[in-house]
Amino acid sequence: MGCYAKRSSMRRHLARWLACASLICGARGAFAQTDEIQVYDAGVAPVGTFNLTWHNNYTPSGGRSAAFDGGIVPNHTLNGVTEWAYGVTPWFEAGLYLPLYSVSSSGAVTYNGFKVRTLFVVPNASTRRFFYGVNFEFSDNTNHWNPKPFSAEIRPIIGWRAGRIDFIVNPILDYTSQGVAGLNFAPATRLAYRITETWSVAAEEYDDFGPLRGFTPVREQSHQLFAVVDHPIGRTQVEAGAGFGLTAGSDGLVLKLILSRDLN
């Protein structure tokens, strides 16, 4: 009788552990999905200036099943958002992402929610050898975009500039309603080279290691390496890139396009 009770207890503990593991993996996949593929460089809009940035990314080759029940299937899906920003001071920019949307392979358009952000930076970052900042982002999510109705992002910005070369790290922490246990480590890194005053090329890596308290196995992590080019067309800054998955848990190919323009 004692042995039976012990085995039953072990089975219950095992079932709970497996349930927790599946939730963690599901959350990781949900966080890996994004509307914005960009490394922040501590740049802000001039004081009193409104800026519009339009983010779009398309997955020609990606996951063929959703990361959680009722979620969006990455393969052949376009994710995007319009980002509205305002330069409040030389060191503070406020932003609103609205609307977040997806277009699936069937042509169905879905609304995914909205985000607000506060970006604090060292002034005149583009002229400094060492620059830094931090961005706080708060999201209201629809249930097909993220199983958590509310989430947040803490994005430190650390960058170095040497001549024509920029190296920038954003050691991002994604946050859910689970407290410290819900912190997810998803850093973004950029190494850029300015060919001319108007042309730049870059290598960017976007990673999702999973929960900070215990990373997921490497095969389940998302790691993508992007080749990127930046060039203004008139008053519009254009950033385009192609990203390739480095692990089994990554989408095979993702294309991104970012258009940014001051409105006044």
Side-chain angles (χ1 to χ4, degrees):
M1 185 72 175
C3 291
Y4 176 77
K6 188 178 291 185
R7 286 195 297 268
S8 297
S9 177
M10 289 177 63
R11 282 196 293 269
R12 285 195 298 271
H13 285 303
L14 179 61
R16 289 170 185 162
W17 184 90
L18 290 173
C20 289
S22 65
L23 285 173
I24 289 171
C25 290
R28 182 206 63 77
F31 294 141
Q33 177 175 261
T34 183
D35 51 273
E36 180 185 24
I37 303 175
Q38 185 179 27
V39 176
Y40 283 23
D41 62 1
V44 295
V47 176
T49 298
F50 286 96
N51 177 274
L52 172 60
T53 301
W54 188 16
H55 302 265
N56 281 288
N57 59 81
Y58 176 69
T59 306
S61 175
R64 287 170 168 74
S65 60
F68 54 91
D69 289 343
I72 294 172
V73 176
N75 195 52
H76 293 172
T77 291
L78 173 75
N79 297 319
V81 66
T82 46
E83 174 189 357
W84 311 85
Y86 180 73
V88 182
T89 72
W91 49 266
F92 172 48
E93 181 183 88
L96 169 67
Y97 295 78
L98 181 72
L100 276 71
Y101 59 87
S102 293
V103 183
S104 70
S105 58
S106 66
V109 179
T110 56
Y111 167 73
N112 301 330
F114 69 90
K115 303 186 290 185
V116 295
R117 68 166 173 79
T118 54
L119 174 59
F120 303 92
V121 301
V122 62
N124 305 312
S126 62
T127 64
R128 293 175 179 263
R129 182 180 178 86
F130 173 69
F131 49 94
Y132 52 90
V134 62
N135 181 67
F136 299 95
E137 204 165 272
F138 307 91
S139 303
D140 180 272
N141 308 303
T142 58
N143 56 14
H144 54 263
W145 180 250
N146 191 321
K148 299 294 182 182
F150 303 103
S151 58
E153 173 189 286
I154 305 169
R155 182 190 292 248
I157 304 163
I158 307 168
W160 295 266
R161 180 171 294 110
R164 295 178 178 268
I165 297 174
D166 294 348
F167 178 69
I168 308 169
V169 180
N170 295 170
I172 301 166
L173 292 174
D174 288 322
Y175 179 81
T176 69
S177 57
Q178 299 170 354
V180 176
L183 288 174
N184 203 73
F185 186 50
T189 308
R190 174 181 167 97
L191 179 63
Y193 179 77
R194 287 188 302 280
I195 302 171
T196 69
E197 289 300 313
T198 58
W199 283 95
S200 295
V201 293
E204 297 179 348
E205 184 168 350
Y206 298 88
D207 305 300
D208 190 344
F209 290 91
L212 191 62
R213 64 178 180 177
F215 293 162
T216 55
V218 174
R219 281 182 56 83
E220 297 175 12
Q221 295 175 10
S222 176
H223 298 276
Q224 287 188 313
L225 183 64
F226 275 76
V228 178
V229 61
D230 297 90
H231 179 64
I233 299 178
R235 293 174 52 204
T236 302
Q237 184 65 40
V238 180
E239 178 177 314
F244 305 89
L246 304 178
T247 62
S250 309
D251 289 325
L253 176 62
V254 178
L255 306 177
K256 74 165 183 172
L257 177 65
I258 303 172
L259 306 175
S260 180
R261 180 171 180 164
D262 289 340
L263 300 179
N264 62 318

